[in-house]
């Protein structure tokens, strides 16, 4: 399964780099000036889904 995921991840990385790091992806936002990491709202949503074990 890992071999099947690698091309998708690589394609998403290429998309991010080509877009100048905009739009951003992931659950944690990073300020590129200070490198401060900030949880995005989607992290809270995903945590709630995990706690309920259901969508």
């Amino acid at each position: 399964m890992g071999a099947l995921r690698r091309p998708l991840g690589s394609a998403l990385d290429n998309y991010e780099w080509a877009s100048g790091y905009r739009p951003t992806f992931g659950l944690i936002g990073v300020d590129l000036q200070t490198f401060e990491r900030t949880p995005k709202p989607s992290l809270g949503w995903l945590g709630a889904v995990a706690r309920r074990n259901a969508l």
Side-chain angles (χ1 to χ4, degrees), residues 20-37:
Y21 298 104
R22 294 279 185 246
T24 60
F25 303 93
L27 300 172
I28 305 289
V30 178
D31 181 324
L32 297 179
Q33 300 297 319
T34 64
F35 299 105
E36 182 179 352
R37 297 164 52 95

Side-chain angles (χ1 to χ4, degrees), residues 10-25 32:
S10 182
L12 290 176
D13 287 344
N14 290 340
Y15 177 74
E16 279 188 73
W17 296 333
S19 299
Y21 298 104
R22 294 279 185 246
T24 60
F25 303 93
L32 297 179

Side-chain angles (χ1 to χ4, degrees), residues 45-55:
W45 178 86
L46 184 60
V49 169
R51 285 188 293 278
R52 286 191 313 265
N53 196 26
L55 290 174

